[in-house]
Amino acid sequence: MTHDAMRLKCDLLIVGAGPAGMSAAIEARAAGLEVVVADEGEAPGGQIYRNATQSPLADAHVLGDDYLAGRALIGRFAASGAKHLARCVVWQIAFENRQVIAMLTRSLHGEQGGGTLEVAARAVLVATGAQERPWPVPGWTLPGVMGIGAAQTLLKSAGLAPSNEAVLAGCGPLLWLFASQLLNSGRGVRAIIDTTPPDAWRAALPHALPALAGADYLLKGVRMMRAVKRAGIAVHRGASAFSIEGEGRAERVRFVDGHGAPQSIDTPLVLLHQGVIPSTQLPRSLGCAHEWDASSACWRPRTDARGRSSLDHVWIAGDGAGIGGAKAAAHAGSLAALDIARELGVLDAPSRDARSRPALRALKRHLAVRPLLDALYTPPAALRRPADDVTVCRCEEISAGEIRRIASLGCQGPNQMKAFSRCGMGPCQGRWCGTTVSELIAQVQNRTVGEVGYYRIRAPIKPVTVEEIAESIALDNDFTRGEFPS
């Protein structure tokens, strides 16, 4: 590995130090590759294992055995010899002379050594994980409303737990996991509002038998739900027509329960969750092909079984390639690294295949439960396509009604919608509205979401300053600054 001023060279650049990124780095180093891992976190682990080795909690066991199991993986990653760049934002990746050229901005919170860094690699593995699915409901932009994933990040990174007055609303495994973690830490929950449709089990039933291969996941879910029941927390199942109200901040939630009765709960803190979806911004900016996955109602990059994308030199692994959970992500990262080692010539095909077999078997087992969970917890269209008066683009304050109105005029897709309304042009760059915008256009025009498409993502894919961009521009020795026109 060479280091020239603010430039690095390596065989493999991995973006993301979660389970997939760490496992890939371990496997790639074992094969003899020089590896750089860039991650935005303070320490390796990703969201699932955030601060697993240095938890601010007095007793990290409250977060569960799965969380603590991440310590072993983090230890192996630290000992692998991969170069870990913490607090790094990858804001551009381009291709030049059969190399991957990535621009990174490193923040050291005022310390020396930050700035812009260029990494040249022979291959890149995108392991950026997942993001929470946006759930636009009335009042979701009020202060006092946040995602359960964000609340869990505060618990893991700073030991901050919400008050006992919090209401958890939505569906999916994280809803119950976070509730059980709060109970373990001595906190309570005001209520859980479960929006899983009462008849969702009918769609899930055909997947029940294959899911038994991952029975341990099902048992964990049952244990978490039992813990909530033993704690006496009110659980409202089959909820619909959910909204948040308040003057200047969240004050109450309203919904219709599974029996059709209107309900209201006073609360200053509402935590929302409707599952997670792949984070696709980086591979989209590279031009990787994506497809709409109707079974889980989200976009996912098109990859083969080893994580190879539609572009040469680019692999994608972990939840960023399709939601499978931490253990599946780790095995997917190993498989991708072995395939990269084969592509770069340090492993032959028989060696790659032999080393891949255990990971392939394990990956199949850990993914066995996914069709059942997708059928059970993928929110129905009514929850994904809000009413006209609901804000969809939080950055530019564009409502669902405005998006539907423009779509009815013949707007062909999200990129034209962006030009007409500025929807998707804010700091989040479409992360929190893109999926909803595609679905609303498809609804109005009676097209499939796959036909409508998604935003065209351009660099910088994360907000950076002009100074940081300027630092990335190489200047010749004979460069002279011209006069600015008067």
Side-chain angles (χ1 to χ4, degrees):
M1 191 180 300
T2 64
H3 184 194
D4 177 22
M6 297 299 283
R7 293 179 174 85
L8 286 175
K9 289 186 179 180
C10 62
D11 295 314
L12 171 61
L13 169 65
I14 299 174
V15 184
M22 289 190 294
S23 297
I26 294 166
E27 200 70 60
R29 287 292 299 137
L33 296 179
E34 295 290 343
V35 180
V36 170
V37 181
D39 185 69
E40 295 181 26
E42 294 276 346
Q47 169 61 5
I48 186 68
Y49 300 138
R50 184 181 297 272
N51 279 358
T53 58
Q54 50 191 31
S55 175
L57 296 168
D59 183 6
H61 287 84
V62 301
L63 296 175
D65 293 339
D66 287 345
Y67 173 74
L68 295 178
R71 291 177 173 176
L73 180 59
I74 293 171
R76 296 204 310 275
F77 170 66
S80 68
K83 184 173 183 60
H84 175 222
L85 301 178
R87 299 180 296 275
C88 272
V89 173
V90 178
W91 51 269
Q92 176 177 289
I93 294 181
F95 303 98
E96 182 180 303
N97 298 327
R98 298 183 60 81
Q99 276 193 325
V100 176
I101 307 295
M103 303 309 306
L104 292 68
T105 293
R106 191 177 192 189
S107 171
L108 293 184
H109 309 301
E111 302 173 26
Q112 294 297 316
T116 299
L117 185 69
E118 179 183 294
V119 178
R122 299 167 65 196
V124 62
L125 172 62
V126 178
T128 48
Q131 67 166 73
E132 282 193 276
R133 181 193 299 274
W135 185 24
V137 294
W140 78 310
T141 60
L142 287 170
V145 183
M146 64 192 305
I148 286 181
Q152 190 188 50
T153 296
L154 287 175
L155 182 62
K156 291 178 177 179
S157 61
L160 297 176
S163 71
N164 293 342
E165 295 299 304
V167 169
L168 278 58
C171 72
L174 184 59
L175 186 78
W176 303 98
L177 172 61
F178 189 58
S180 65
Q181 289 174 336
L182 291 179
L183 292 173
N184 291 340
S185 62
R187 291 298 178 98
V189 175
R190 179 71 182 275
I192 293 178
I193 301 172
D194 186 356
T195 60
T196 306
D199 61 348
W201 64 270
R202 298 181 188 276
L205 193 59
H207 305 291
L209 191 58
L212 293 178
D216 51 334
Y217 288 95
L218 303 177
L219 292 174
K220 288 174 189 174
V222 170
R223 284 196 293 267
M224 290 186 292
M225 290 181 179
R226 284 179 176 173
V228 169
K229 183 177 181 180
R230 284 195 304 268
I233 296 171
V235 178
H236 304 271
R237 298 185 183 275
S240 60
F242 180 83
S243 64
I244 305 161
E245 298 178 352
E247 293 297 327
R249 64 162 296 113
E251 296 176 356
R252 73 191 66 83
V253 296
R254 295 189 186 276
F255 60 97
V256 175
D257 65 22
H259 302 290
Q263 301 286 345
S264 175
I265 301 175
D266 292 335
T267 177
L269 180 59
V270 185
L271 304 180
L272 302 177
H273 185 71
Q274 286 289 352
V276 294
I277 58 177
S279 176
T280 63
Q281 299 290 100
L282 180 53
R284 280 187 181 280
S285 73
L286 297 174
C288 296
H290 286 67
E291 57 193 11
W292 177 254
D293 184 347
S295 66
S296 51
C298 65
W299 293 100
R300 61 188 297 171
R302 191 175 299 152
T303 62
D304 66 11
R306 300 181 185 276
R308 190 182 293 248
S309 78
S310 61
L311 294 181
D312 292 339
H313 315 298
V314 180
W315 282 254
I316 309 169
D319 280 352
I323 306 302
K327 293 180 179 178
H331 294 298
S334 297
L335 289 170
L338 289 168
D339 195 49
I340 293 168
R342 167 69 183 91
E343 183 71 18
L344 298 186
V346 297
L347 280 183
D348 57 25
S351 297
R352 177 202 62 185
D353 295 343
R355 293 193 193 186
S356 297
R357 288 188 191 103
L360 283 168
R361 287 194 297 268
L363 180 61
K364 182 178 180 180
R365 186 178 74 81
H366 287 299
L367 292 178
V369 75
R370 291 312 311 180
L372 175 71
L373 296 179
D374 287 343
L376 192 60
Y377 290 127
T378 297
L383 287 175
R384 306 193 312 264
R385 302 169 183 175
D388 284 352
D389 60 345
V390 175
T391 297
V392 170
C393 176
R394 300 170 60 113
C395 300
E396 300 293 335
E397 299 183 346
I398 309 299
S399 69
E402 179 70 0
I403 294 169
R404 287 190 173 99
R405 183 187 69 80
I406 295 174
S408 69
L409 298 176
C411 173
Q412 290 302 299
N415 293 299
Q416 197 172 36
M417 182 67 68
K418 182 189 295 186
F420 288 172
S421 68
R422 291 189 55 83
C423 190
M425 294 184 71
C428 88
Q429 298 171 293
R431 288 172 177 81
W432 285 100
C433 66
T435 302
T436 307
V437 168
S438 295
E439 289 214 65
L440 290 176
I441 295 173
Q443 179 189 33
V444 169
Q445 299 180 355
N446 196 28
R447 300 161 64 196
T448 67
V449 182
E451 290 173 335
V452 169
Y454 191 82
Y455 292 131
R456 186 178 301 109
I457 306 300
R458 296 186 177 93
I461 59 172
K462 289 288 183 74
V464 292
T465 66
V466 173
E467 179 184 12
E468 289 163 343
I469 294 176
E471 286 181 356
S472 70
I473 301 174
L475 302 178
D476 296 332
N477 293 332
D478 59 352
F479 173 82
T480 57
R481 186 178 300 279
E483 292 296 322
F484 192 86
S486 59

